[in-house]
Amino acid sequence: MMNIEFMVCLVLAILFLVIGIIFSFLKEEGAKYVSGFSTLNHPENYDKASISLDMRNQCFTYALILFLGAILSYFISAIIAIPTYVIWGIVFFKSVHLDGEKAFEKYLIK
């Protein structure tokens, strides 16, 4: 019998790892793929390299959380995946902003 919780954690972890690697290679160009960046009034006033770097770091953090959850759910119990999803959800939704200007205000070039 296959541990579906392990597989879901593993697939999500690999997905976030690949996205993080893509942001690593794109560097400044990666900023235009961040949700909300293209809707900013003056995108040239923002530090694109920092935006891409932070996005890369977020994706690597999500991947780490999910890889650990996958390993624990495989070796200990499938139930471990549930707290993993909760932890990932909390970390993920802490970075979600409804206002694009507010989300990127820390990246303004001064």
Side-chain angles (χ1 to χ4, degrees):
M1 187 164 152
M2 183 175 269
N3 183 344
I4 192 74
E5 292 83 3
F6 163 75
M7 292 302 293
V8 171
C9 280
L10 186 62
V11 167
L12 285 172
I14 291 170
L15 176 72
F16 282 116
L17 183 65
V18 168
I19 293 170
I21 291 170
I22 290 170
F23 273 103
S24 294
F25 286 126
L26 290 177
K27 302 205 187 293
E28 281 191 20
E29 291 297 315
K32 65 183 173 185
Y33 298 109
V34 176
S35 177
F37 183 75
S38 62
T39 63
L40 294 172
N41 290 333
H42 300 284
E44 65 276 357
N45 294 338
Y46 293 89
D47 185 3
K48 295 178 194 86
S50 292
I51 293 170
S52 188
L53 182 69
D54 281 355
M55 204 58 207
R56 181 203 69 184
N57 292 342
Q58 284 179 6
C59 288
F60 285 160
T61 301
Y62 303 154
L64 178 66
I65 291 168
L66 291 164
F67 270 128
L68 290 174
I71 292 167
L72 293 174
S73 69
Y74 183 78
F75 288 111
I76 297 175
S77 172
I79 297 294
I80 300 289
I82 294 170
T84 301
Y85 301 140
V86 171
I87 292 168
W88 171 77
I90 290 168
V91 173
F92 179 79
F93 285 108
K94 280 180 67 177
S95 65
V96 172
H97 300 280
L98 297 177
D99 182 20
E101 296 289 332
K102 188 173 183 174
F104 293 102
E105 69 185 357
K106 70 179 181 179
Y107 302 110
L108 268 171
I109 298 172
K110 296 174 180 157

